Amino acid sequence: MKQFFNVFLTVLTVCFAVNLTSCSSDDDDDSKSQNEKIKVYTACVSEDVLDLYNVKIILHRGNNSKEITLSKSGAESQTIEGYTLYGYQYDAVDGKHGIDSVEVVVNYSDQIESQISAMDPDKELLLVEGRDFTAQTYSSTGHYDAFKNLNQRLSISAIKAAALLNTSSSSNTKMYELEAKKIKSNLTAK
């Protein structure tokens, strides 16, 4: 399993570093120097996270904010060892380049327990989430190398579907609820 994750992280880093593009507005807030540094927010989540949770990020830049619900269609994707990962990268809010902070809201449906119960109880889910929030040299093309350090910030949980319905003895909370809190914490950036 450890070897799987090492290969997984290496391939993830190479794939997203080469293929991911910016999802920012095409309108520049002013003429940017090619040497100017701006804050770029980069995130990665697995398909299993998106299948179970509704993840909304709120990008902040000055007094402006923009809400984005992470989806499979709004991302670059890579399938590695049978698991699909989705990558997102943002460098602007309403045409103003540079992100100040990112809030995260993670919800799940009232039917999540039924949804999990309908799965094969032995199905191994891969819950991956992580983010990087780095100063990058402004790119008019929206291509940044922010994924190079993301593998150090990824949280990876391999868990059987049935285990998500278990209750933690220390907090008396369902495992899927604890996972939602972990996703929020791992994607938030200040």
PDB file of all heavy atoms in Angstrom, residues 14 20 51 61 77 83 126 149 163 187-188:
ATOM      1  N   VAL A  14       3.516  14.943 -11.467  1.00  0.00           N
ATOM      2  CA  VAL A  14       3.948  15.132 -12.853  1.00  0.00           C
ATOM      3  C   VAL A  14       2.759  15.459 -13.751  1.00  0.00           C
ATOM      4  O   VAL A  14       2.808  16.392 -14.544  1.00  0.00           O
ATOM      5  CB  VAL A  14       4.682  13.872 -13.363  1.00  0.00           C
ATOM      6  CG1 VAL A  14       4.929  13.949 -14.849  1.00  0.00           C
ATOM      7  CG2 VAL A  14       5.988  13.691 -12.608  1.00  0.00           C
ATOM      8  N   LEU A  20      -2.456  21.124 -15.943  1.00  0.00           N
ATOM      9  CA  LEU A  20      -3.491  21.978 -15.378  1.00  0.00           C
ATOM     10  C   LEU A  20      -3.384  23.406 -15.868  1.00  0.00           C
ATOM     11  O   LEU A  20      -2.307  23.955 -15.990  1.00  0.00           O
ATOM     12  CB  LEU A  20      -3.413  21.962 -13.846  1.00  0.00           C
ATOM     13  CG  LEU A  20      -4.665  22.510 -13.196  1.00  0.00           C
ATOM     14  CD1 LEU A  20      -5.844  21.585 -13.440  1.00  0.00           C
ATOM     15  CD2 LEU A  20      -4.455  22.691 -11.728  1.00  0.00           C
ATOM     16  N   ASP A  51     -18.106  12.531  -5.154  1.00  0.00           N
ATOM     17  CA  ASP A  51     -19.308  11.691  -5.189  1.00  0.00           C
ATOM     18  C   ASP A  51     -20.087  11.749  -3.870  1.00  0.00           C
ATOM     19  O   ASP A  51     -21.309  11.616  -3.862  1.00  0.00           O
ATOM     20  CB  ASP A  51     -18.949  10.235  -5.503  1.00  0.00           C
ATOM     21  CG  ASP A  51     -18.557  10.034  -6.955  1.00  0.00           C
ATOM     22  OD1 ASP A  51     -18.836  10.925  -7.793  1.00  0.00           O
ATOM     23  OD2 ASP A  51     -17.963   8.971  -7.252  1.00  0.00           O
ATOM     24  N   ARG A  61     -10.507  38.195  -2.657  1.00  0.00           N
ATOM     25  CA  ARG A  61      -9.483  39.128  -3.146  1.00  0.00           C
ATOM     26  C   ARG A  61      -9.977  40.519  -2.785  1.00  0.00           C
ATOM     27  O   ARG A  61     -10.965  41.007  -3.349  1.00  0.00           O
ATOM     28  CB  ARG A  61      -9.317  38.996  -4.650  1.00  0.00           C
ATOM     29  CG  ARG A  61      -8.565  40.141  -5.303  1.00  0.00           C
ATOM     30  CD  ARG A  61      -7.075  39.822  -5.358  1.00  0.00           C
ATOM     31  NE  ARG A  61      -6.428  40.661  -6.337  1.00  0.00           N
ATOM     32  CZ  ARG A  61      -5.630  41.679  -5.987  1.00  0.00           C
ATOM     33  NH1 ARG A  61      -5.412  41.959  -4.727  1.00  0.00           N
ATOM     34  NH2 ARG A  61      -5.046  42.387  -6.929  1.00  0.00           N
ATOM     35  N   SER A  77      -8.579  16.338 -15.032  1.00  0.00           N
ATOM     36  CA  SER A  77      -8.632  15.061 -14.319  1.00  0.00           C
ATOM     37  C   SER A  77      -7.523  14.133 -14.784  1.00  0.00           C
ATOM     38  O   SER A  77      -7.061  14.220 -15.921  1.00  0.00           O
ATOM     39  CB  SER A  77      -9.994  14.390 -14.510  1.00  0.00           C
ATOM     40  OG  SER A  77     -10.175  14.022 -15.855  1.00  0.00           O
ATOM     41  N   TYR A  83      -8.119   5.198  -9.848  1.00  0.00           N
ATOM     42  CA  TYR A  83      -8.761   6.275  -9.092  1.00  0.00           C
ATOM     43  C   TYR A  83      -8.614   7.581  -9.867  1.00  0.00           C
ATOM     44  O   TYR A  83      -7.559   7.857 -10.431  1.00  0.00           O
ATOM     45  CB  TYR A  83      -8.121   6.438  -7.711  1.00  0.00           C
ATOM     46  CG  TYR A  83      -8.332   5.245  -6.811  1.00  0.00           C
ATOM     47  CD1 TYR A  83      -7.350   4.263  -6.687  1.00  0.00           C
ATOM     48  CD2 TYR A  83      -9.502   5.103  -6.090  1.00  0.00           C
ATOM     49  CE1 TYR A  83      -7.537   3.169  -5.860  1.00  0.00           C
ATOM     50  CE2 TYR A  83      -9.703   4.010  -5.259  1.00  0.00           C
ATOM     51  CZ  TYR A  83      -8.716   3.041  -5.152  1.00  0.00           C
ATOM     52  OH  TYR A  83      -8.913   1.960  -4.337  1.00  0.00           O
ATOM     53  N   LEU A 126     -11.177   6.020  -1.954  1.00  0.00           N
ATOM     54  CA  LEU A 126      -9.957   6.798  -1.789  1.00  0.00           C
ATOM     55  C   LEU A 126     -10.376   8.259  -1.639  1.00  0.00           C
ATOM     56  O   LEU A 126     -10.845   8.875  -2.590  1.00  0.00           O
ATOM     57  CB  LEU A 126      -9.027   6.626  -2.987  1.00  0.00           C
ATOM     58  CG  LEU A 126      -7.650   7.243  -2.827  1.00  0.00           C
ATOM     59  CD1 LEU A 126      -6.843   6.508  -1.753  1.00  0.00           C
ATOM     60  CD2 LEU A 126      -6.893   7.224  -4.138  1.00  0.00           C
ATOM     61  N   ASN A 149       4.588  21.289  -5.165  1.00  0.00           N
ATOM     62  CA  ASN A 149       4.673  20.973  -3.741  1.00  0.00           C
ATOM     63  C   ASN A 149       3.371  20.427  -3.177  1.00  0.00           C
ATOM     64  O   ASN A 149       3.284  20.149  -1.994  1.00  0.00           O
ATOM     65  CB  ASN A 149       5.080  22.216  -2.947  1.00  0.00           C
ATOM     66  CG  ASN A 149       6.474  22.669  -3.304  1.00  0.00           C
ATOM     67  OD1 ASN A 149       7.372  21.855  -3.461  1.00  0.00           O
ATOM     68  ND2 ASN A 149       6.649  23.968  -3.469  1.00  0.00           N
ATOM     69  N   ALA A 163     -17.128   1.376   6.603  1.00  0.00           N
ATOM     70  CA  ALA A 163     -16.466   2.041   7.737  1.00  0.00           C
ATOM     71  C   ALA A 163     -16.885   3.505   7.869  1.00  0.00           C
ATOM     72  O   ALA A 163     -16.815   4.078   8.958  1.00  0.00           O
ATOM     73  CB  ALA A 163     -14.955   1.930   7.596  1.00  0.00           C
ATOM     74  N   LEU A 187      -8.562  22.017   2.715  1.00  0.00           N
ATOM     75  CA  LEU A 187      -8.701  22.865   1.528  1.00  0.00           C
ATOM     76  C   LEU A 187      -8.713  24.352   1.852  1.00  0.00           C
ATOM     77  O   LEU A 187      -8.516  25.178   0.970  1.00  0.00           O
ATOM     78  CB  LEU A 187      -9.965  22.489   0.750  1.00  0.00           C
ATOM     79  CG  LEU A 187      -9.974  21.110   0.095  1.00  0.00           C
ATOM     80  CD1 LEU A 187     -11.300  20.867  -0.611  1.00  0.00           C
ATOM     81  CD2 LEU A 187      -8.813  20.927  -0.866  1.00  0.00           C
ATOM     82  N   THR A 188      -8.945  24.710   3.106  1.00  0.00           N
ATOM     83  CA  THR A 188      -8.985  26.122   3.509  1.00  0.00           C
ATOM     84  C   THR A 188      -7.586  26.729   3.405  1.00  0.00           C
ATOM     85  O   THR A 188      -6.593  26.084   3.723  1.00  0.00           O
ATOM     86  CB  THR A 188      -9.514  26.261   4.948  1.00  0.00           C
ATOM     87  OG1 THR A 188     -10.863  25.751   4.970  1.00  0.00           O
ATOM     88  CG2 THR A 188      -9.513  27.685   5.426  1.00  0.00           C
TER      89      THR A 188
END
